[in-house]
Amino acid sequence: MTAVRAAALLASPVDAGRDEAAREAARELSGAGYQHEPLFDRLQREISQFLGDLLSGGGTGEGGVMSLVLLVVLLAVLAVLLLWALRRFSGSRRTESGAVFGQRERTAAEHRAEAERLAAEGGWAGAIQERLRAIARELEERAVVSPMPGRTADELAEVAGQALPPHAAGLRAAARLFDDVTYGGAGGTREGYLTLTALDERLRSARTGAAA
């Protein structure tokens, strides 16, 4: 009954005074009946009340202009937060689907050592993945390509192939092999791993020769 009484107070005659009625309504709404109101319900009620006051005529005068400005600012902040959340979601989906590197950042030497360890154990699919990651990180460390989070194997082959045209075909073949074992369900082979190992050595030699 407290809410009904508060509404009645707000609708009371002018002789009680609008300010006095508002204060009395606030005391009623802050009573025991609203102390245990869930936070979400309270926010929803207050927002609905604010919008209702604004649309019912409270938007006239200086106070109404300020309310309208605050509403516009609130909507702008919500839009920015929504765009930020969408970009983060899009970036995480890109990292999870198609990217060369995983969440953990390693050097080219670390990727290469992991590839050799997996190859020694016969884990050819993992060895192929790590060897291509070693190639990608090596090219980034040597400034052949610029680092780009979420870069796919195909994008790496395209950019690195433009920087090192004699190895463009080998890079494209390496990208296809990486995608096959990573997303296509294909099993890795010793021959495929040795192909990437040879490409890795050629790229390292080519970069050293160009620098010299």
Side-chain angles (χ1 to χ4, degrees):
M1 296 300 293
T2 56
V4 175
R5 184 179 174 188
L9 287 171
L10 288 175
S12 61
V14 180
D15 56 2
R18 183 176 181 83
D19 294 340
E20 180 63 27
R23 286 194 293 271
E24 184 65 24
R27 285 194 293 270
E28 289 290 339
L29 293 176
S30 61
Y34 290 90
Q35 290 178 357
H36 302 289
E37 183 181 11
L39 178 60
F40 178 79
D41 293 341
R42 181 178 178 183
L43 290 174
Q44 185 178 18
R45 174 174 55 77
E46 291 180 354
I47 292 174
S48 299
Q49 182 179 354
F50 170 75
L51 293 177
D53 293 341
L54 188 63
L55 295 176
S56 63
T60 60
E62 183 179 354
V65 173
M66 290 299 299
S67 299
L68 184 60
V69 171
L70 290 175
L71 179 60
V72 172
V73 171
L74 176 62
L75 293 176
V77 171
L78 292 176
V80 171
L81 291 176
L82 179 60
L83 289 175
W84 175 78
L86 290 175
R87 290 186 64 180
R88 283 201 64 181
F89 178 75
S90 176
S92 63
R93 288 292 301 273
R94 180 180 175 85
T95 301
E96 293 173 0
S97 59
V100 173
F101 298 111
Q103 297 296 327
R104 179 180 176 184
E105 184 172 348
R106 293 176 173 176
T107 65
E110 289 173 336
H111 282 298
R112 200 170 287 116
E114 181 65 11
E116 293 174 355
R117 184 188 68 80
L118 291 171
E121 296 176 355
W124 300 116
I128 288 171
Q129 292 172 335
E130 289 300 317
R131 199 74 192 199
L132 184 68
R133 288 166 182 157
I135 291 173
R137 188 67 76 195
E138 180 80 20
L139 293 174
E140 290 180 355
E141 291 174 353
R142 295 173 177 267
V144 177
V145 299
S146 300
M148 186 181 75
R151 173 182 278 141
T152 65
D154 289 335
E155 291 170 343
L156 172 70
E158 180 180 358
V159 175
Q162 293 175 357
L164 300 171
H167 304 281
L171 285 164
R172 288 193 297 269
R176 286 194 300 269
L177 182 58
F178 177 87
D179 288 341
D180 288 343
V181 301
T182 305
Y183 311 108
T189 62
R190 180 176 181 273
E191 290 73 17
Y193 175 70
L194 293 178
T195 299
L196 263 68
T197 301
L199 176 64
D200 187 15
E201 295 299 328
R202 291 197 303 272
L203 291 173
R204 294 170 71 186
S205 301
R207 178 57 184 167
T208 302

